[in-house]
Amino acid sequence: MIERTASELRTRLQQGDLSAEQLTGEFLQAIGQRDAKVKAFLHVDETAALDQARAVDARRARGETLGPLAGVPVAVKDVLCVAGQPATCGSKMLQHFQPPYDAHVITRLKQADAVLLGKTNLDEFAMGSSTENSAYQITRNPWDLERIPGGSSGGSAAAVAAGEAPLALGTDTGGSIRQPASLCGIVGLKPTYGRVSRFGLIAFASSLDQVGPFATTWPMRPCSWK
């Protein structure tokens, strides 16, 4: 399942071919097996992710109307606020900060019934283009662990390319989604300025920053650890 596109996974969830809990468990297992080498994630909340997945499954079983991303796991760049979870911006200055509110895009993901896997690495305060400048760890390109994934949203790009998440959010000031997407061989989009609310984004440059997605559009090829 971890080699399927988000669209395919959504269809299988809707058809009942797999449960959200099963799918989330597979991606959490992939993170556990692969992320020691890739170092895409700064924080993974397995308990919360599985709880969200089980809640989606329970609502689906009751026949309730679900959001368009119901049960689909998503990784989030650690510059976006998620209530009660760390928001470090890749900096030791914020290592103990836990925002009391959700960023607008996180609210929208929750409304869509997505499952939040955790927070991904970045250049400190999104100031960089290689994800070598985090205060915590250096993220590697899954296709070649000796190479960079790009940045500053390198953790999100690497997580998707490594099959650790089918979707991820990043932020782009001057290329911080588009460049790591290119280096990691996946798809990244910087939306038109103002199209997506920046509320809850700890921005590098508010007059330029935009939140946007990473994804794949084809079955993933084998990565270096295989």
Side-chain angles (χ1 to χ4, degrees):
M1 288 298 102
I2 64 173
E3 296 181 353
R4 304 285 183 175
T5 66
S7 179
E8 290 175 310
L9 294 175
R10 176 177 176 268
T11 298
R12 287 174 177 258
L13 287 164
Q14 291 175 333
Q15 293 174 343
D17 295 336
L18 76 163
S19 67
E21 181 179 3
Q22 177 188 356
L23 181 61
T24 299
E26 289 200 26
F27 279 104
L28 290 172
Q29 183 178 27
I31 293 169
Q33 293 172 342
R34 301 177 176 188
D35 206 55
K37 294 180 179 179
V38 179
K39 300 185 185 299
F41 282 89
L42 291 176
H43 174 74
V44 177
D45 193 334
E46 292 191 18
T47 300
L50 289 170
D51 284 348
Q52 292 170 48
R54 293 186 189 109
V56 169
D57 288 334
R59 290 177 58 203
R60 197 186 300 276
R62 292 193 297 267
E64 295 183 18
T65 300
L66 296 172
L69 292 176
V72 178
V74 181
V76 178
K77 184 178 181 179
D78 199 23
V79 76
L80 291 160
C81 291
V82 178
Q85 294 197 17
T88 70
C89 297
S91 175
K92 292 292 181 68
M93 292 173 65
L94 295 178
Q95 61 182 320
H96 302 301
F97 174 55
Q98 292 192 1
Y101 59 87
D102 288 332
H104 173 79
V105 291
I106 301 302
T107 298
R108 293 298 295 270
L109 284 177
K110 290 181 177 180
Q111 290 171 345
D113 293 314
V115 174
L116 303 182
L117 291 173
K119 308 297 285 296
T120 57
N121 197 27
L122 65 147
D123 292 295
E124 188 168 7
F125 290 109
M127 297 177 69
S129 55
S130 65
T131 318
E132 297 173 292
N133 303 301
S134 167
Y136 297 96
Q137 60 193 24
I138 295 174
T139 298
R140 304 296 183 180
N141 192 311
W143 304 113
D144 183 346
L145 297 175
E146 298 300 314
R147 298 180 185 275
I148 62 169
S152 63
S153 304
S156 290
V160 172
E164 296 178 10
L167 291 173
L169 289 185
T171 60
D172 193 313
T173 304
S176 290
I177 291 174
R178 295 161 289 170
Q179 184 247 33
S182 178
L183 268 61
C184 289
I186 61 172
V187 175
L189 173 69
K190 179 184 182 182
T192 300
Y193 181 76
R195 185 72 178 83
V196 179
S197 170
R198 294 187 305 282
F199 176 82
L201 163 63
I202 304 170
F204 173 22
S206 289
S207 59
L208 297 171
D209 281 16
Q210 284 290 275
V211 182
F214 292 98
T216 62
T217 57
W218 60 85
M220 294 298 294
R221 294 168 291 166
C223 290
S224 55
W225 51 80
K226 295 183 180 180

